Amino acid sequence: ISFKERLKELRTERNITQQELGKLVNMSKMAISHWEKGHSEPSISQLIILSNYFEVTVDYLIGKNDFS
C-alpha cells in the first residue's frame, strides 16, 4: 500500500475531511489533497507530525509495513 492510500485510509477512518486534518496538523487542505492524489509527498518533518497525529509509525504511514 502506498503513502497516498494509507493517508486517505487513516483520515477516513477518523471520519475527518482533508480540511479538518490540515487544521489539526497545521498544514493546508491543498497539501493533504496533493498527497492523497500522489501529486506530491510530505517532508520528513511532516511525516513525523502525521504519524504522531494518527498514532502510527512512519514506516506504517509510508506503506513500508502493515504494523502500526
Side-chain angles (χ1 to χ4, degrees):
I1 191 165
S2 67
F3 166 73
K4 68 180 186 175
E5 295 166 318
R6 187 77 62 163
L7 178 61
K8 186 170 186 176
E9 174 185 281
L10 289 167
R11 180 179 60 76
T12 55
E13 282 175 2
R14 295 221 176 176
N15 199 30
I16 58 175
T17 65
Q18 291 176 341
Q19 185 167 356
E20 289 169 327
L21 176 58
K23 285 182 180 180
L24 290 165
V25 296
N26 200 28
M27 296 172 202
S28 70
K29 180 223 179 262
M30 190 64 71
I32 307 296
S33 175
H34 280 268
W35 297 337
E36 287 187 2
K37 291 179 182 176
H39 296 311
S40 63
E41 295 181 343
S43 68
I44 291 173
S45 60
Q46 290 169 320
L47 280 173
I48 292 168
I49 291 167
L50 289 168
S51 70
N52 287 336
Y53 171 74
F54 288 116
E55 299 176 323
V56 297
T57 64
V58 171
D59 280 353
Y60 180 81
L61 189 58
I62 63 172
K64 187 172 179 181
N65 69 47
D66 290 331
F67 308 104
S68 59

